């Protein structure tokens, strides 16, 4: 219970700085999932959690049970899950372990989500050497619940029975929470028994049984058995209610003989819940649970003395006060120190490291003194970028997920954000997840703030108004002052950005000790954001819709290359600082884009991010599974370095397209909100042309893009 995974002892003082309340917040942090109000008496419950260490040890089951756990967090609130997302980080694409880990994780996510019956509608996947010894698997789920039917994890009502629900308890997952709160060293294979084993078909029965039992009104409180199993669920439920619990382990359904009280209490066997029901109505609930073929037994009773008493064989084997193990657990204020190397990595001498020429002219050509540089250099750089693992199509991954279960998915994977309709209403919700961990390494404050800004742009580009955030804060060993500095700075950056965008953080997870030996991962504060569309029919995707449309850049190009994918892929350099983040400029960009989409002026919208303007334009042209027939001819007047113009990752930019007759109107709207905007080209043809710098056929681009991430068996 005092492990980092359960107690947040190193992170709690910093988490308190995050904004967690707002006009739409129904439930903030402290419960199994956060909840926001979307109107019409409906709410969205959502949360993201990590399953990093288990997925590195046993990728299939580690990822699968990560999905199962986050689904239970959502439906224990009374919500029916409608969508999954995931954020994945692997080592270098050419690292010998990466194909095995990637295939195992993706197949585990697909197996659990597809079998359980919830669509996986989006996510992100990144590759970097810093994850060679410690991958990240962060799972997100969202569900819909009526406002008056929300349930919480309270063990309330003295004398009320405590009911165990779900699969039998085995020895799988014992010490899972403590394993996740330790650095990796040697002997990872020996830790396989700490990884849980999932059964999505039982979880589906558990979902339906719990939702049916909730409708009876007999359930007082309910919680899933996650990290530390029966221990965490019982202690946390009693702690929230200020009560105690007496439990008899002889009544716990077991699937293995000879299990000790220690093993029973700490098992992390999956597909299990703990519920408190009204006294006298236990049989009513038990009948429903057994109708769904689930094990269900009364294993305890709520008491009034604030103690947890556990019996086995008639003897008391545990008698502990609850408060010191939960809400009064130790909180550390660990030493914080800015790394000595931070200034060094932030220095970026472009003249020293660049092989491409520096020429401020907006329309360079070989005849203007660049020799054979010009187009050949930038065509080559673009081809390397579009086929690099972090930019290439992720279709190989999301094709394995069923993203149409439930028939609510309006925007499929591959665009900026997933969009789902809310049945029985005109509303929709948009979901996205993002974090540029390289930026967080270079500057954790601004890198974390950018994660919020990028999520918000993704939602806005889909036509949704950003509402709230859940996070998964993945960092190294908190006992190292430099790691705690990264964590503190990231929390401050998240806090400021969330306040600026009025998107409170309503749930989340902290995952520390993500390092092998002394090699820590980049600080990776992954954020997922939920947005709302009042009219789901008024949404946008990133893809050009036809020939001859005007292409408009909302926002401005700047001379920034720090931390870019271009620097990493082309020059093998991680240096500089993240781009400038101007919150006022971002918010004006939101207003223009949302207005244009709502009024039906904007046909497509795509935010400019990893890979810069050239890659963003290509992504507007390309669509997996469709013939790439809509190219673009672009002419941009900008007194910038050519590489910064093409591949710089400046913030506050969205590429939109519209009918030529609507271009002036959109520019007028942009001006009214104080957002820079300019017509930069026209859609059409079968090439991507940008000034005299890039001119490549779409067929070639498509083949590079679609083939950049294909994992095959050997």
């Amino acid at each position: 219970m005092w492990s980092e995974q359960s107690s947040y002892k190193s992170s709690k003082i910093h988490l308190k700085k995050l904004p967690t309340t707002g006009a739409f917040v129904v439930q903030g942090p402290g419960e199994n999932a956060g909840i926001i109000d979307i109107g019409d008496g409906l709410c969205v419950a959502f949360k993201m959690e990590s399953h990093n260490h288990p997925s590195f040890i046993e990728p299939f089951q580690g990822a699968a049970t990560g999905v199962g756990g986050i689904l239970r967090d959502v439906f224990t609130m009374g919500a029916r899950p409608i969508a999954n997302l995931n954020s994945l980080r692997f080592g270098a694409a050419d690292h010998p372990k990466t194909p095995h880990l990637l295939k195992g994780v993706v197949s585990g996510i697909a197996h659990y989500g597809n079998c359980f019956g919830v669509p996986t509608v989006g996510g992100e996947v990144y590759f970097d050497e810093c994850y060679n010894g410690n991958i990240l698997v962060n799972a997100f789920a969202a569900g819909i619940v009526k406002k008056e039917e929300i349930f919480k994890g309270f063990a309330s009502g003295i004398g009320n029975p405590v009911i165990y629900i779900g699969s039998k308890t085995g020895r799988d997952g014992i010490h899972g929470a403590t394993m996740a709160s330790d650095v990796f060293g040697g002997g990872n294979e020996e830790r396989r028994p700490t990884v849980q084993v999932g059964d999505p078909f039982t979880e589906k029965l558990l979902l339906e049984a719990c939702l049916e039992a909730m409708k009876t009104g007999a359930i007082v409180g309910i919680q899933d058995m996650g990290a530390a199993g029966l221990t965490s669920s019982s202690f946390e439920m009693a702690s929230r209610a200020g009560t105690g619990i007496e439990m008899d382990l002889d009544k716990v359904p077991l699937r293995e003989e000879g299990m000790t009280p220690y093993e029973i209490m700490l098992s992390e066997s999956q597909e299990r819940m703990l519920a408190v029901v009204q006294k006298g109505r236990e049989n009513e609930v038990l009948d429903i649970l057994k109708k769904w073929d689930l094990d269900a037994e009364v294993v305890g009773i709520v008491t009034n003395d604030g103690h947890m008493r556990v019996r086995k064989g008639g003897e008391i084997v545990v008698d502990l006060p609850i408060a010191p193990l939960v809400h009064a657990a130790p909180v550390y204020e660990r030493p914080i120190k800015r790394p000595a190397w931070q200034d060094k990595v932030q220095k970026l001498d472009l003249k020293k490291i660049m092989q491409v020429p520096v020429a401020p002219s907006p329309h360079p050509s070989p005849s203007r003194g660049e020799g054979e540089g010009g187009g050949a250099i930038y065509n080559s750089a673009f081809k390397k970028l579009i086929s690099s693992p972090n930019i290439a199509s992720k279709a190989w991954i999301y094709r394995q997920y069923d993203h149409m279960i439930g028939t609510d998915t309006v925007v499929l994977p591959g665009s900026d954000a997933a969009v789902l309709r809310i049945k029985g209403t005109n509303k929709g919700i948009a979901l996205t997840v993002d974090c540029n961990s390289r930026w967080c390494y270079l500057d954790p404050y601004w890198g974390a703030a950018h994660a919020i800004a990028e999520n918000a742009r993704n939602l806005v580009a889909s036509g949704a108004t950003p509402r709230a955030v859940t996070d998964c804060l993945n960092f190294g060993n908190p006992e190292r002052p430099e790691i705690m500095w990264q964590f503190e700075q990231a929390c401050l950056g998240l806090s400021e950005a969330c306040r600026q965008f009025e998107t409170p953080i309503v749930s989340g997870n902290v995952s520390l000790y993500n390092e092998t030996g002394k090699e820590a991962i980049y600080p990776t504060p992954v954020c997922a954001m939920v947005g709302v569309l009042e009219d789901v029919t008024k949404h946008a995707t990133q893809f050009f819709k036809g020939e001859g449309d005007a292409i408009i850049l909302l926002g401005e190009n700047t001379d920034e290359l720090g931390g870019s994918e271009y620097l990493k892929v082309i020059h093998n350099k991680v240096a500089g600082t993240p781009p400038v983040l101007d919150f006022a400029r971002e918010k004006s960009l939101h207003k223009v884009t949302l207005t244009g989409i709502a009024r039906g002026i904007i046909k497509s919208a795509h935010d400019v991010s990893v890979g810069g303007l050239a890659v963003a334009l290509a992504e507007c042209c390309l669509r997996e599974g469709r013939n790439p027939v809509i190219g673009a001819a672009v002419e941009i007047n900008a007194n910038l370095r050519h590489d910064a113009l093409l591949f710089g990752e400046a913030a506050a930019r969205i590429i939109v397209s519209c009918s030529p007759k609507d271009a002036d109107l959109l520019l007028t709207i942009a001006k009214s909100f104080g957002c820079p905007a300019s017509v930069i080209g026209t859609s059409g043809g079968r090439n991507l042309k940008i000034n005299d710098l890039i001119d490549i056929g779409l067929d070639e681009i498509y083949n590079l893009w679609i083939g950049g991430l294909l994992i095959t068996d050997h």
Side-chain angles (χ1 to χ4, degrees):
M1 287 297 291
W2 284 0
S3 70
E4 293 290 351
Q5 193 72 6
S6 300
S7 75
Y8 295 92
K9 60 177 180 267
S10 296
S11 56
K12 192 172 290 185
I13 63 168
H14 301 293
L15 298 178
K16 289 180 179 179
K17 301 168 186 174
L18 301 175
T20 58
T21 59
F24 303 102
V25 176
V26 176
Q27 176 64 57
E31 266 292 340
N32 291 286
I35 299 179
I36 61 169
D37 191 332
I38 61 171
D40 294 339
L42 297 176
C43 297
V44 180
F46 59 97
K47 191 181 183 184
M48 182 163 54
E49 282 203 342
S50 61
H51 233 221
N52 304 334
H53 284 42
S55 298
F56 186 76
I57 297 167
E58 181 58 66
F60 180 92
Q61 290 295 351
T65 52
V67 173
I70 202 64
L71 288 168
R72 289 194 301 280
D73 279 339
V74 166
F75 72 74
T76 193
M77 304 298 295
R80 179 174 289 276
I82 63 166
N84 290 334
L85 300 177
N86 52 74
S87 174
L88 311 178
R89 296 291 193 282
F90 297 95
D94 58 359
H95 188 276
K97 285 189 176 180
T98 296
H100 163 71
L101 293 169
L102 176 61
K103 285 186 287 186
V105 165
V106 171
S107 58
I109 291 170
H111 168 74
Y112 209 101
N114 294 354
C115 293
F116 177 81
V118 170
T120 301
V121 295
E124 60 165 5
V125 185
Y126 282 99
F127 300 84
D128 193 278
E129 295 90 334
C130 75
Y131 304 107
N132 281 348
N134 199 127
I135 66 174
L136 303 183
V137 175
N138 295 176
F140 167 98
I144 300 296
V145 59
K146 291 181 180 179
K147 195 169 184 178
E148 69 274 12
E149 295 180 0
I150 294 169
F151 281 81
K152 299 182 181 181
F154 281 77
S156 303
I158 309 307
N160 280 337
V162 178
I163 297 182
Y164 173 112
I165 306 168
S167 296
K168 289 181 170 63
T169 294
R171 289 188 171 92
D172 54 318
I174 294 173
H175 290 169
T178 51
M179 177 268 291
S181 301
D182 193 10
V183 296
F184 274 147
N188 289 341
E189 295 296 315
E190 297 170 6
R191 298 192 180 199
R192 285 184 185 274
T194 64
V195 179
Q196 308 92 331
V197 178
D199 179 356
F201 300 106
T202 298
E203 179 121 333
K204 173 63 173 174
L205 298 177
L206 188 63
L207 163 71
E208 300 300 341
C210 287
L211 292 182
E212 183 177 339
M214 288 171 177
K215 290 185 184 301
T216 67
I219 291 182
V220 174
I222 186 167
Q223 177 159 326
D224 82 297
M225 296 189 211
L230 258 175
T231 297
S232 63
S233 55
S234 58
F235 272 86
E236 288 172 5
M237 290 181 74
S239 173
R240 292 191 192 106
T243 58
I245 290 179
E246 287 191 4
M247 196 182 311
D248 185 351
L249 297 187
D250 290 327
K251 297 180 179 179
V252 173
L254 304 178
R255 69 167 182 259
E256 298 184 45
E257 294 182 0
M259 290 187 69
T260 66
Y262 183 88
E263 292 172 325
I264 296 169
M265 289 299 293
L266 287 180
S267 167
E268 294 182 15
S269 293
Q270 295 292 284
E271 294 84 43
R272 300 181 303 158
M273 308 282 275
L274 197 66
V276 173
V277 304
Q278 293 178 16
K279 186 176 181 180
R281 301 188 67 182
E282 49 267 51
N283 288 334
E284 185 180 346
V285 173
L286 290 171
D287 287 345
I288 292 172
L289 301 174
K290 291 179 179 177
K291 180 190 77 173
W292 285 96
D293 241 1
L294 295 169
D295 284 289
E297 300 289 343
V298 175
V299 295
I301 189 170
V302 178
T303 63
N304 64 356
D305 62 358
H307 268 240
M308 177 67 64
R309 290 186 180 84
V310 179
R311 299 177 185 274
K312 182 77 167 71
E315 296 182 5
I316 294 178
V317 293
V318 174
D319 188 348
L320 286 170
I322 285 168
L325 270 72
V326 191
H327 61 269
V331 176
Y332 296 168
E333 191 167 353
R334 292 192 182 276
I336 291 174
K337 180 183 178 183
R338 189 175 190 269
W341 46 261
Q342 198 73 43
D343 288 337
K344 182 179 179 181
V345 299
Q346 289 183 347
K347 291 179 181 178
L348 179 58
D349 187 343
L350 291 174
K351 290 183 179 179
K352 184 176 180 181
I353 67 171
M354 291 297 181
Q355 300 300 313
V356 294
V358 178
S361 167
H363 301 295
S365 68
S367 63
R368 293 192 177 112
E370 292 195 40
E372 296 182 355
I377 287 177
Y378 298 109
N379 279 343
S380 175
F382 173 81
K383 290 176 185 178
K384 288 181 181 177
L385 275 171
I386 202 70
S387 61
S388 64
N390 288 342
I391 292 176
S393 169
K394 305 304 184 294
W396 177 85
I397 293 172
Y398 63 69
R399 273 199 228 115
Q400 299 182 52
Y401 307 147
D402 190 332
H403 37 263
M404 289 303 294
I405 302 171
T407 66
D408 290 327
T409 310
V410 176
V411 175
L412 305 178
S415 197
D416 283 311
V419 176
L420 295 101
R421 68 173 62 86
I422 306 301
K423 284 190 172 80
T425 76
N426 294 324
K427 294 179 182 292
I429 61 170
L431 310 171
T432 182
V433 60
D434 194 85
C435 177
N436 188 323
S437 56
R438 189 182 300 134
W439 288 359
C440 295
Y441 165 72
L442 295 172
D443 189 322
Y445 180 99
W446 287 111
H450 270 289
I452 298 297
E454 167 77 3
N455 271 297
R457 282 196 303 275
N458 287 339
L459 294 180
V460 165
S462 73
T465 302
R467 283 282 171 81
V469 174
T470 182
D471 60 26
C472 201
L473 308 180
N474 307 273
F475 288 78
N477 185 347
E479 297 164 37
R480 296 167 56 193
E482 293 81 3
I483 299 296
M484 283 311 300
W485 177 83
Q486 292 177 335
F487 187 87
E488 177 200 44
Q489 290 296 305
C491 286
L492 292 173
L494 291 177
S495 179
E496 178 61 19
C498 287
R499 286 190 175 92
Q500 289 284 345
F501 295 122
E502 298 180 1
T503 52
I505 296 176
V506 298
S507 61
N509 170 237
V510 175
S511 175
L512 302 176
Y513 293 95
N514 287 291
E515 57 182 79
T516 299
K518 291 291 184 181
E519 293 297 319
I521 63 165
Y522 284 164
T524 312
V526 174
C527 299
M529 191 178 285
V530 176
V532 176
L533 299 90
E534 294 301 326
D535 183 349
V536 73
T537 64
K538 294 180 178 178
H539 66 269
T541 63
Q542 69 188 47
F543 312 109
F544 292 143
K545 300 301 187 293
E547 304 269 338
D549 284 337
I551 301 172
I552 295 176
L553 175 65
L554 301 178
E556 287 184 308
N557 301 310
T558 61
D559 212 346
E560 297 175 286
L561 279 170
S564 63
E565 194 73 11
Y566 168 73
L567 275 186
K568 172 65 174 173
V569 172
I570 306 302
H571 299 285
N572 195 30
K573 189 73 175 177
V574 176
T577 57
V580 171
L581 182 56
D582 184 326
F583 293 114
R585 184 62 59 84
E586 293 281 352
K587 287 184 273 190
S588 69
L589 178 70
H590 293 183
K591 292 174 183 177
V592 178
T593 309
L594 290 173
T595 300
I597 293 172
R599 293 178 62 173
I601 300 169
I602 291 176
K603 291 186 175 182
S604 69
H606 182 32
D607 112 283
V608 181
S609 58
V610 178
L613 189 68
V615 166
L617 285 164
E619 290 170 341
C620 295
C621 300
L622 303 175
R623 198 167 183 175
E624 188 270 329
R626 310 274 182 96
N627 290 327
V629 295
I630 304 176
V634 170
E635 289 285 332
I636 306 173
N637 292 305
N639 193 30
L640 304 176
R641 298 175 54 96
H642 305 152
D643 43 12
L645 174 66
L646 295 171
F647 309 122
E649 297 172 5
R653 292 183 295 169
I654 292 179
I655 297 168
V656 302
S657 66
C658 67
S659 170
K661 66 181 177 61
D662 291 329
D664 287 341
L665 175 58
L666 189 55
L667 294 178
T668 300
I669 293 171
K671 186 176 181 180
S672 72
F673 287 117
C675 177
S678 56
V679 177
I680 60 171
T682 305
S683 65
R686 294 191 62 84
N687 279 41
L688 174 62
K689 300 178 182 179
I690 305 175
N691 295 4
D692 297 327
L693 302 174
I694 289 176
D695 188 353
I696 310 174
L698 281 192
D699 289 333
E700 182 179 3
I701 295 174
Y702 182 84
N703 289 333
L704 289 167
W705 175 72
I706 203 72
L709 184 64
L710 291 176
I711 304 298
T712 56
D713 290 309
H714 295 287

